[in-house]
Amino acid sequence: MSLTRRRLVLSSTTLGALALAGRATAETARFPDRPITLIDPFAAGSNTDYFSRALGDELARLLGQPVIVDNRSGSGGALGAEAVARAKPDGYVLGLASVSTLVSNPAVNKSLRYDPLKDFAPVTTLVTLPSATVVPANSPIKSLPDLIKAARARPEAVSFASPGAGSAGHVLLEQFAHLAGVKFLHVPYRGSGAILNDLFGGQIEVASDNIPSLLPHIRSGRLRALAVRDVKRVSLLPEVPTFKELGFETISQPLWFGLVAPAATPRDVVKRLNEATLQAIRTPSFIQKTEAVAGTCTPSTPEQFQALIAQWLESFKKTVQVANITV
């Protein structure tokens, strides 16, 4: 190829790249110009659903476009997370991320079709949320020591529900059982609503879930809380001890939810989403809804969220190995 022709080809290639970059920049500048879908990996009425809808309302107002919550439950949140990972990376499909989807499921399930560190663009953490271990009010189990005693008397027979195999609830249940030296009959569900129905109906004996779905029933007296998972007692349930107080400090951390986009989402779009989301979770309305269920708003940068995911993933992988957790 002659020097002149080579220069023409290079010039054409450069102009094409510049044109594409210019078009991408223009599209980013208009973002968003159509509705956004927020995929929630758990069922409607679940704990994630509580926050995804609160967040969607605030983002719609701030971004000037509808935010449609799409509940895609199953496999401990893995189905919804995979849908986010496989979506077009343009900022119009987002995911409500949780410890279950980005940490516990990847730590347990080797056949997952997404990588929590490579297939997502973290936007920000949203909230931390305590959870509680509960039994029906008519249960003979009155305390966490009573639960341990019952499990020792009936090995692998005391039924204990979680929001799904590989979910954070599942891993933390198995970690608690390992530390206590007992074994439960693990019963996985697709969401909080089904757990509560069977708990009230007597089909299962014990459950652990985040506070939003449990709080009304604890307050009404239908459920008895044995312990809460948080670094300190929950202000809305001051009479309930923490796991730390009862000798289980390593499982006392509250869980978190966050917002993610597909990997390769343009950095400018991620930045725009981060800025809008930080505004959203600082609004009086969102803060009030969060505090009403004992949650805490936890804004972050994308980089801080990525570091948090990596840190928890490493910790859960060690737990899975030590407790020999499988799905």
Side-chain angles (χ1 to χ4, degrees), residues 181-199:
V182 299
K183 289 189 176 182
F184 295 103
L185 173 62
H186 173 230
V187 185
Y189 284 78
R190 291 177 69 92
S192 302
I195 290 176
L196 289 170
N197 286 338
D198 282 2
L199 196 61

Side-chain angles (χ1 to χ4, degrees), residues 70-254:
D70 180 2
N71 295 92
R72 299 196 195 181
S73 62
S75 301
L79 294 183
E82 183 183 343
V84 177
R86 300 291 172 258
K88 184 178 179 180
D90 56 9
Y92 288 96
V93 174
L94 306 175
L96 200 292
S98 69
V99 175
S100 289
T101 57
L102 297 188
V103 178
S104 63
N105 234 319
V108 174
N109 192 344
K110 307 305 180 187
S111 63
L112 281 187
R113 293 186 290 183
Y114 65 86
D115 186 306
L117 298 177
K118 296 179 180 179
D119 290 339
F120 302 96
V123 177
T124 178
T125 47
L126 299 170
V127 299
T128 58
L129 195 65
S131 59
T133 295
V134 297
V135 295
N138 61 358
S139 170
I141 297 170
K142 308 295 184 184
S143 65
L144 200 68
D146 281 353
L147 175 59
I148 295 171
K149 183 178 179 180
R152 286 176 178 162
R154 296 188 289 134
E156 298 186 69
V158 176
S159 54
F160 203 131
S162 84
S167 67
H170 176 206
V171 173
L172 290 168
L173 156 64
E174 298 292 359
Q175 186 181 19
F176 164 60
H178 176 74
L179 293 171
V182 299
K183 289 189 176 182
F184 295 103
L185 173 62
H186 173 230
V187 185
Y189 284 78
R190 291 177 69 92
S192 302
I195 290 176
L196 289 170
N197 286 338
D198 282 2
L199 196 61
F200 294 140
Q203 282 80 23
I204 54 172
E205 298 171 74
V206 193
S208 184
D209 206 351
N210 290 319
I211 290 292
S213 63
L214 302 177
L215 188 60
H217 308 293
I218 296 172
R219 284 177 161 173
S220 72
R222 297 187 72 189
L223 293 178
R224 179 184 302 118
L226 307 180
V228 294
R229 182 174 287 107
D230 206 339
V231 293
K232 60 182 180 180
R233 290 202 181 197
V234 175
S235 61
L236 300 178
L237 299 170
E239 73 285 357
V240 183
T242 65
F243 274 93
K244 181 179 179 180
E245 290 177 76
L246 297 171
F248 299 94
E249 183 173 1
T250 55
I251 56 173
S252 63
Q253 292 294 325

